[in-house]
Amino acid sequence: MVLFIGFLFSTSVFAAELVNERGAGSSCQEFTANRELKVFKDPTLFLPNLGLIMADPKVGWYRLMQENPLLMVLTGRVKLTKLGEAREFKNFGAIARLYELAEPRLRLVDPEASKQPLVKIVPVQVCGEGVLGFVLESDLRLATEALGSAKGLPPSIYPNPVPHWPKP
């Protein structure tokens, strides 16, 4: 009997690894943000406010409009976990107006009526913080690009033309 109980408690325990949409393990990626990288709150963090709107619309709307969708602004050494591929910023209902006020590029436009491309976002988690959010794909790309990817500009003496910095 003692042998049987010892057998039950001697099973092995293994760690689980989180898997994202592509099947790769999600892990922190460290990079240097050469420009400001705005991290916005995940829209699901506003769900308690929507419940309050249903219970008391006046107080609910007041509290929702006091919220700031900007979670943090990162520069320098940054550790992020990408939680998926870039996707279009879609309508989150009344909450979309908050994002639009914080970042004008998140304004929802009709792609057929406008030639403006749709804004793409990348869902992320800031390592160590544990808070979900998203960043604009273009901001992430610009923040991770090295400033002046070449070693420097060539001298502007004859026969070299006057160099031009790449446009951001």
Side-chain angles (χ1 to χ4, degrees), residues 87-150:
R87 58 191 74 169
E88 295 174 356
F89 179 74
K90 295 192 179 179
N91 190 353
F92 295 117
I95 298 171
R97 180 74 174 145
L98 291 175
Y99 289 104
E100 181 182 319
L101 292 172
E103 178 59 58
R105 293 180 289 169
L106 291 173
R107 181 180 305 268
L108 296 173
V109 294
D110 183 16
E112 286 125 20
S114 164
K115 295 183 181 182
Q116 180 180 358
L118 293 173
V119 176
K120 291 197 172 195
I121 60 172
V122 179
V124 297
Q125 179 178 12
V126 180
C127 297
E129 297 289 324
V131 180
L132 300 176
F134 66 87
V135 295
L136 297 175
E137 180 187 38
S138 58
D139 287 353
L140 183 61
R141 186 177 57 251
L142 287 174
T144 57
E145 285 179 356
L147 293 175
S149 56

Side-chain angles (χ1 to χ4, degrees), residues 38-46 69-72 80-84 87 92 99 121-126 129-136:
K38 294 180 181 179
V39 180
F40 296 93
K41 289 181 185 177
D42 185 64
T44 58
L45 296 175
F46 294 108
L70 184 62
L71 186 60
M72 61 183 70
L80 290 177
T81 301
K82 291 184 185 177
L83 300 175
R87 58 191 74 169
F92 295 117
Y99 289 104
I121 60 172
V122 179
V124 297
Q125 179 178 12
V126 180
E129 297 289 324
V131 180
L132 300 176
F134 66 87
V135 295
L136 297 175

Side-chain angles (χ1 to χ4, degrees), residues 8-126:
L8 288 177
F9 292 112
S10 66
T11 59
S12 300
V13 177
F14 298 99
E17 182 179 14
L18 296 176
V19 178
N20 62 16
E21 293 173 354
R22 295 185 341 203
S26 59
S27 61
C28 290
Q29 296 176 345
E30 185 174 345
F31 63 91
T32 301
N34 297 313
R35 299 175 187 213
E36 289 185 345
L37 181 63
K38 294 180 181 179
V39 180
F40 296 93
K41 289 181 185 177
D42 185 64
T44 58
L45 296 175
F46 294 108
L47 289 178
N49 292 9
L50 295 179
L52 187 58
I53 289 174
M54 296 302 227
D56 186 359
K58 186 176 180 180
V59 173
W61 279 108
Y62 177 77
R63 286 203 183 152
L64 181 64
M65 296 313 289
Q66 300 303 314
E67 290 285 337
N68 185 2
L70 184 62
L71 186 60
M72 61 183 70
V73 178
L74 303 172
T75 54
R77 292 179 65 178
V78 175
K79 285 187 174 185
L80 290 177
T81 301
K82 291 184 185 177
L83 300 175
E85 295 297 319
R87 58 191 74 169
E88 295 174 356
F89 179 74
K90 295 192 179 179
N91 190 353
F92 295 117
I95 298 171
R97 180 74 174 145
L98 291 175
Y99 289 104
E100 181 182 319
L101 292 172
E103 178 59 58
R105 293 180 289 169
L106 291 173
R107 181 180 305 268
L108 296 173
V109 294
D110 183 16
E112 286 125 20
S114 164
K115 295 183 181 182
Q116 180 180 358
L118 293 173
V119 176
K120 291 197 172 195
I121 60 172
V122 179
V124 297
Q125 179 178 12
V126 180

